[in-house]
Amino acid sequence: MLKERRTPALTRVSYHRAASAASRATVSDLDEDAIRAAALLHLTGITPALSDSARALTLHAARVAREAAVPVSFDLNYRSALWSRPRARDCFRTLIPLADVVFAGEDEAALALDRSPDDVPSLAEGLASMGPSEAVIKRGAKGAFARVDGRSFEQDAVRIDPIDTVGAGDAFVAGYLAERLNGVPVPERLETAVAVAAFVCLSEADWEGSPRRAEQAQLTPEDPVAR
């Protein structure tokens, strides 16, 4: 993957993954014992987009985790450069029922459900109805909406002047899952998620802007960002 800043306001990301090592991965490459011993298995929609064998590996990993009672997290992470919308939709509809937690942007959820992206609560409810107990809609500058165990939760985004938004979605997921593993309630998970995503947007790299725990309180919806 290559990322280039064409203008201060435009970042272009290009993928060169055809025939890559990852695209050649098969089920036999999977460490099933590591999955069974894990606290959580996290998957994204990028891996199954790489090849048929990578898709089979992803599905098998999810099934191994479920058989071992290991929670499965799935971030749709649709990339139009890697596969078509119909192929992605078919795969999403196979993976979502295998997940305990599903993450999606509004457009990604709409793709999976084949409906309008405008009704966010309906999108979350639709994803949850496919099997996951937790459906989280990532809304960028509009914050997040979650449907967890039949209850709805909303979280405002942290107000910042973003420098580079690439990586913010993954940072959001990392923050949410870290708090989930710590056993904290859903509102606090979402607060951490939007804070981590905001920090990442304040650097020109992808993951390098992720905050340490001690830094988290420096960035809240009530406080301005000082540079």
Side-chain angles (χ1 to χ4, degrees):
M1 184 191 82
L2 299 177
K3 183 175 73 171
E4 54 181 334
R5 295 290 296 273
R6 299 304 301 154
T7 71
L10 175 64
T11 299
R12 177 180 297 161
V13 177
S14 56
Y15 299 93
H16 300 270
R17 290 175 172 167
S20 65
S23 73
R24 297 173 186 269
T26 67
V27 169
S28 64
D29 294 312
L30 198 65
D31 186 342
E32 295 185 10
D33 289 337
I35 293 175
R36 295 187 183 100
L40 180 142
L41 173 69
H42 180 60
L43 305 169
T44 85
I46 291 178
T47 309
L50 301 180
S51 66
D52 289 341
S53 65
R55 180 176 183 272
L57 179 151
T58 306
L59 290 168
H60 185 67
R63 289 169 178 145
V64 169
R66 289 194 68 83
E67 290 172 0
V70 173
V72 177
S73 167
F74 176 47
D75 185 355
L76 273 59
N77 238 335
Y78 174 64
R79 297 291 181 268
S80 61
L82 296 178
W83 56 355
S84 68
R85 293 177 66 87
R87 287 190 63 225
R89 181 183 294 112
D90 289 344
C91 182
F92 293 163
R93 289 179 174 178
T94 302
L95 275 166
I96 290 171
L98 298 175
D100 299 278
V101 187
V102 62
F103 297 92
E106 291 145 304
D107 290 340
E108 292 168 337
L111 168 60
L113 297 167
D114 196 18
R115 64 176 66 168
S116 167
D118 297 331
D119 188 342
V120 173
S122 175
L123 292 175
E125 180 63 33
L127 293 176
S129 70
M130 297 175 72
S133 59
E134 303 178 34
V136 184
I137 306 296
K138 300 178 289 181
R139 307 190 67 205
K142 296 179 181 178
F145 184 95
R147 185 75 172 169
V148 179
D149 295 328
R151 296 180 59 197
S152 296
F153 302 85
E154 289 189 75
Q155 175 63 48
D156 291 335
V158 179
R159 291 188 177 184
I160 59 168
D161 295 323
I163 295 174
D164 185 345
T165 61
V166 175
D170 292 334
F172 177 99
V173 170
Y176 184 95
L177 292 178
E179 296 293 47
R180 187 182 191 275
L181 290 170
N182 283 333
V184 305
V186 175
E188 283 83 349
R189 297 179 206 172
L190 293 172
E191 288 178 6
T192 296
V194 297
V196 175
F199 264 105
V200 167
C201 291
L202 296 174
S203 72
E204 292 187 352
D206 290 2
W207 57 267
E208 290 86 344
S210 297
R212 297 180 182 274
R213 281 281 183 185
E215 297 176 306
Q216 204 170 306
Q218 299 174 12
L219 198 62
T220 69
E222 292 79 23
D223 294 334
V225 179
R227 295 189 184 85

